[in-house]
Short mmCIF file of all heavy atoms in Angstrom, two decimals:
data_model
loop_
_atom_site.label_atom_id
_atom_site.label_comp_id
_atom_site.label_asym_id
_atom_site.label_seq_id
_atom_site.Cartn_x
_atom_site.Cartn_y
_atom_site.Cartn_z
N MET A 339 -18.33 -90.85 29.92
CA MET A 339 -18.43 -91.99 28.96
C MET A 339 -19.37 -91.62 27.76
O MET A 339 -20.29 -90.98 28.00
CB MET A 339 -18.91 -93.20 29.67
CG MET A 339 -17.95 -93.77 30.66
SD MET A 339 -16.40 -94.31 30.02
CE MET A 339 -16.70 -95.84 29.01
N GLY A 340 -18.97 -92.03 26.68
CA GLY A 340 -19.96 -91.83 25.42
C GLY A 340 -21.15 -92.75 25.67
O GLY A 340 -21.19 -93.72 26.34
N VAL A 341 -22.25 -92.27 24.93
CA VAL A 341 -23.63 -92.74 25.26
C VAL A 341 -23.69 -94.35 25.14
O VAL A 341 -24.37 -95.00 25.79
CB VAL A 341 -24.58 -92.03 24.55
CG1 VAL A 341 -24.38 -92.34 23.08
CG2 VAL A 341 -26.04 -92.43 24.96
N ASN A 342 -22.86 -94.81 24.15
CA ASN A 342 -23.11 -96.36 23.97
C ASN A 342 -22.15 -97.27 24.74
O ASN A 342 -22.03 -98.40 24.56
CB ASN A 342 -22.68 -96.65 22.47
CG ASN A 342 -23.76 -95.94 21.58
OD1 ASN A 342 -24.79 -95.78 21.89
ND2 ASN A 342 -23.33 -95.60 20.39
N TYR A 343 -21.33 -96.57 25.62
CA TYR A 343 -20.34 -97.29 26.30
C TYR A 343 -20.62 -97.44 27.86
O TYR A 343 -19.77 -97.72 28.59
CB TYR A 343 -18.98 -96.63 26.11
CG TYR A 343 -18.51 -96.73 24.65
CD1 TYR A 343 -18.74 -95.60 23.85
CD2 TYR A 343 -17.88 -97.77 24.07
CE1 TYR A 343 -18.36 -95.68 22.41
CE2 TYR A 343 -17.57 -97.84 22.64
CZ TYR A 343 -17.81 -96.79 21.97
OH TYR A 343 -17.46 -96.84 20.62
N LYS A 344 -21.83 -97.05 28.13
CA LYS A 344 -22.23 -97.01 29.64
C LYS A 344 -22.53 -98.51 30.00
O LYS A 344 -23.10 -99.34 29.22
CB LYS A 344 -23.35 -96.12 29.88
CG LYS A 344 -22.99 -94.76 29.27
CD LYS A 344 -23.74 -93.68 30.05
CE LYS A 344 -23.38 -93.67 31.45
NZ LYS A 344 -23.91 -92.57 32.18
N GLY A 345 -22.50 -98.75 31.31
CA GLY A 345 -22.87 -100.03 31.81
C GLY A 345 -22.01 -101.26 31.46
O GLY A 345 -22.38 -102.37 31.84
N LEU A 346 -20.86 -100.98 30.89
CA LEU A 346 -20.01 -102.12 30.57
C LEU A 346 -18.88 -102.24 31.55
O LEU A 346 -18.05 -103.09 31.50
CB LEU A 346 -19.40 -101.96 29.15
CG LEU A 346 -20.49 -101.69 28.10
CD1 LEU A 346 -19.67 -101.39 26.76
CD2 LEU A 346 -21.23 -103.03 27.89
N GLY A 347 -18.93 -101.39 32.53
CA GLY A 347 -17.86 -101.37 33.51
C GLY A 347 -16.49 -100.78 33.01
O GLY A 347 -15.48 -101.03 33.70
N LEU A 348 -16.42 -100.24 31.85
CA LEU A 348 -15.18 -99.79 31.29
C LEU A 348 -14.62 -98.66 32.10
O LEU A 348 -13.32 -98.62 32.37
CB LEU A 348 -15.45 -99.19 29.85
CG LEU A 348 -16.10 -100.11 28.88
CD1 LEU A 348 -16.25 -99.52 27.49
CD2 LEU A 348 -15.21 -101.47 28.79
N LEU A 349 -15.52 -97.75 32.60
CA LEU A 349 -14.87 -96.64 33.38
C LEU A 349 -14.31 -97.07 34.65
O LEU A 349 -13.14 -96.63 34.97
CB LEU A 349 -15.97 -95.54 33.58
CG LEU A 349 -15.56 -94.35 34.29
CD1 LEU A 349 -14.50 -93.61 33.76
CD2 LEU A 349 -16.84 -93.46 34.59
N THR A 350 -14.98 -97.81 35.48
CA THR A 350 -14.34 -98.35 36.65
C THR A 350 -13.01 -99.05 36.54
O THR A 350 -12.02 -98.67 37.26
CB THR A 350 -15.34 -99.19 37.45
OG1 THR A 350 -16.53 -98.49 37.57
CG2 THR A 350 -14.91 -99.56 38.81
N ARG A 351 -12.94 -99.93 35.59
CA ARG A 351 -11.79 -100.62 35.26
C ARG A 351 -10.70 -99.69 34.83
O ARG A 351 -9.45 -99.75 35.32
CB ARG A 351 -11.95 -101.72 34.27
CG ARG A 351 -12.75 -102.97 34.86
CD ARG A 351 -13.16 -103.82 33.89
NE ARG A 351 -11.98 -104.52 33.19
CZ ARG A 351 -11.99 -104.97 31.90
NH1 ARG A 351 -13.11 -104.86 31.15
NH2 ARG A 351 -11.06 -105.53 31.48
N SER A 352 -10.91 -98.71 33.99
CA SER A 352 -9.95 -97.81 33.60
C SER A 352 -9.39 -96.90 34.66
O SER A 352 -8.14 -96.76 34.75
CB SER A 352 -10.56 -96.86 32.40
OG SER A 352 -11.01 -97.64 31.33
N CYS A 353 -10.34 -96.42 35.59
CA CYS A 353 -9.97 -95.64 36.67
C CYS A 353 -9.02 -96.57 37.57
O CYS A 353 -7.97 -95.99 38.05
CB CYS A 353 -11.11 -95.25 37.54
SG CYS A 353 -12.00 -93.80 36.81
N GLU A 354 -9.28 -97.76 37.73
CA GLU A 354 -8.56 -98.63 38.56
C GLU A 354 -7.11 -98.54 38.15
O GLU A 354 -6.12 -98.40 38.87
CB GLU A 354 -9.17 -99.96 38.58
CG GLU A 354 -8.68 -100.80 39.81
CD GLU A 354 -9.57 -101.98 39.97
OE1 GLU A 354 -10.45 -102.41 39.03
OE2 GLU A 354 -9.59 -102.71 41.02
N VAL A 355 -6.96 -98.74 36.84
CA VAL A 355 -5.55 -98.81 36.25
C VAL A 355 -4.89 -97.45 36.41
O VAL A 355 -3.60 -97.40 36.69
CB VAL A 355 -5.75 -99.24 34.71
CG1 VAL A 355 -4.32 -99.02 34.03
CG2 VAL A 355 -6.30 -100.65 34.68
N LEU A 356 -5.68 -96.42 36.18
CA LEU A 356 -5.05 -95.09 36.22
C LEU A 356 -4.71 -94.73 37.55
O LEU A 356 -3.60 -94.02 37.86
CB LEU A 356 -6.02 -94.06 35.65
CG LEU A 356 -5.93 -93.66 34.11
CD1 LEU A 356 -6.94 -92.60 33.79
CD2 LEU A 356 -4.49 -93.24 33.79
N PHE A 357 -5.45 -95.22 38.57
CA PHE A 357 -5.07 -94.96 39.92
C PHE A 357 -3.90 -95.69 40.46
O PHE A 357 -2.97 -95.06 41.13
CB PHE A 357 -6.33 -95.26 40.88
CG PHE A 357 -7.51 -94.36 40.56
CD1 PHE A 357 -8.72 -94.56 41.15
CD2 PHE A 357 -7.36 -93.29 39.72
CE1 PHE A 357 -9.87 -93.86 40.80
CE2 PHE A 357 -8.44 -92.59 39.28
CZ PHE A 357 -9.75 -92.72 40.03
N ASP A 358 -3.70 -96.88 39.85
CA ASP A 358 -2.42 -97.52 40.12
C ASP A 358 -1.28 -96.72 39.62
O ASP A 358 -0.25 -96.58 40.34
CB ASP A 358 -2.39 -98.95 39.40
CG ASP A 358 -3.13 -100.03 40.10
OD1 ASP A 358 -3.28 -99.95 41.35
OD2 ASP A 358 -3.52 -100.99 39.47
N TYR A 359 -1.42 -96.25 38.38
CA TYR A 359 -0.42 -95.48 37.84
C TYR A 359 -0.08 -94.12 38.64
O TYR A 359 0.92 -93.81 38.95
CB TYR A 359 -0.80 -95.11 36.46
CG TYR A 359 -0.27 -93.86 35.79
CD1 TYR A 359 1.13 -93.90 35.22
CD2 TYR A 359 -0.99 -92.77 35.59
CE1 TYR A 359 1.61 -92.79 34.62
CE2 TYR A 359 -0.33 -91.62 34.97
CZ TYR A 359 0.95 -91.66 34.45
OH TYR A 359 1.48 -90.61 33.77
N ALA A 360 -1.26 -93.50 39.04
CA ALA A 360 -1.06 -92.30 39.75
C ALA A 360 -0.41 -92.43 41.28
O ALA A 360 0.47 -91.72 41.51
CB ALA A 360 -2.44 -91.71 40.09
N PHE A 361 -0.72 -93.44 41.88
CA PHE A 361 -0.22 -93.79 43.24
C PHE A 361 1.24 -94.32 43.03
O PHE A 361 2.14 -94.00 43.75
CB PHE A 361 -1.01 -94.75 44.07
CG PHE A 361 -2.36 -94.08 44.47
CD1 PHE A 361 -3.59 -94.60 44.27
CD2 PHE A 361 -2.29 -92.81 45.21
CE1 PHE A 361 -4.81 -94.10 44.77
CE2 PHE A 361 -3.45 -92.20 45.74
CZ PHE A 361 -4.62 -92.85 45.48
N ASN A 362 1.39 -95.28 42.06
CA ASN A 362 2.69 -96.00 42.02
C ASN A 362 3.71 -95.26 41.19
O ASN A 362 4.93 -95.36 41.58
CB ASN A 362 2.40 -97.37 41.52
CG ASN A 362 1.67 -98.20 42.55
OD1 ASN A 362 1.72 -97.97 43.83
ND2 ASN A 362 0.59 -99.01 42.13
N GLN A 363 3.29 -94.80 40.04
CA GLN A 363 4.39 -94.17 39.15
C GLN A 363 4.48 -92.80 39.46
O GLN A 363 5.59 -92.26 39.40
CB GLN A 363 3.95 -94.58 37.68
CG GLN A 363 4.08 -96.05 37.49
CD GLN A 363 4.06 -96.40 35.97
OE1 GLN A 363 4.56 -95.61 35.11
NE2 GLN A 363 3.30 -97.50 35.60
N LEU A 364 3.32 -92.05 39.46
CA LEU A 364 3.45 -90.54 39.68
C LEU A 364 3.80 -90.26 41.18
O LEU A 364 4.17 -89.17 41.44
CB LEU A 364 2.15 -89.88 39.28
CG LEU A 364 1.62 -90.05 37.81
CD1 LEU A 364 0.52 -89.16 37.57
CD2 LEU A 364 2.93 -89.49 36.89
N GLY A 365 3.57 -91.31 42.08
CA GLY A 365 3.89 -90.93 43.44
C GLY A 365 2.89 -90.05 44.15
O GLY A 365 3.16 -89.40 45.17
N LEU A 366 1.70 -90.03 43.60
CA LEU A 366 0.64 -89.15 44.26
C LEU A 366 0.31 -89.72 45.49
O LEU A 366 0.37 -91.09 45.69
CB LEU A 366 -0.54 -88.84 43.34
CG LEU A 366 -0.13 -88.12 42.18
CD1 LEU A 366 -1.49 -87.90 41.28
CD2 LEU A 366 0.43 -86.78 42.65
N ASN A 367 -0.28 -89.05 46.57
CA ASN A 367 -0.73 -89.53 47.78
C ASN A 367 -2.25 -89.55 47.91
O ASN A 367 -2.73 -90.28 48.78
CB ASN A 367 -0.10 -88.74 48.96
CG ASN A 367 -0.52 -89.13 50.33
OD1 ASN A 367 -0.32 -90.20 50.84
ND2 ASN A 367 -1.32 -88.26 51.00
N ARG A 368 -2.92 -88.74 47.14
CA ARG A 368 -4.36 -88.61 47.36
C ARG A 368 -5.03 -88.37 46.02
O ARG A 368 -4.56 -87.54 45.18
CB ARG A 368 -4.60 -87.33 48.26
CG ARG A 368 -6.04 -86.93 48.30
CD ARG A 368 -6.28 -85.71 49.13
NE ARG A 368 -7.60 -85.25 48.97
CZ ARG A 368 -8.76 -85.70 49.71
NH1 ARG A 368 -8.54 -86.65 50.62
NH2 ARG A 368 -9.90 -85.28 49.34
#
Side-chain angles (χ1 to χ4, degrees):
Chain A
M339 294 299 288
V341 67
N342 296 330
Y343 297 96
K344 310 203 57 171
L346 305 173
L348 304 178
L349 178 56
T350 304
R351 288 169 63 208
S352 298
C353 281
E354 202 163 10
V355 169
L356 268 182
F357 297 170
D358 278 341
Y359 160 73
F361 287 128
N362 296 322
Q363 295 192 36
L364 298 183
L366 295 180
N367 177 63
R368 170 184 169 83

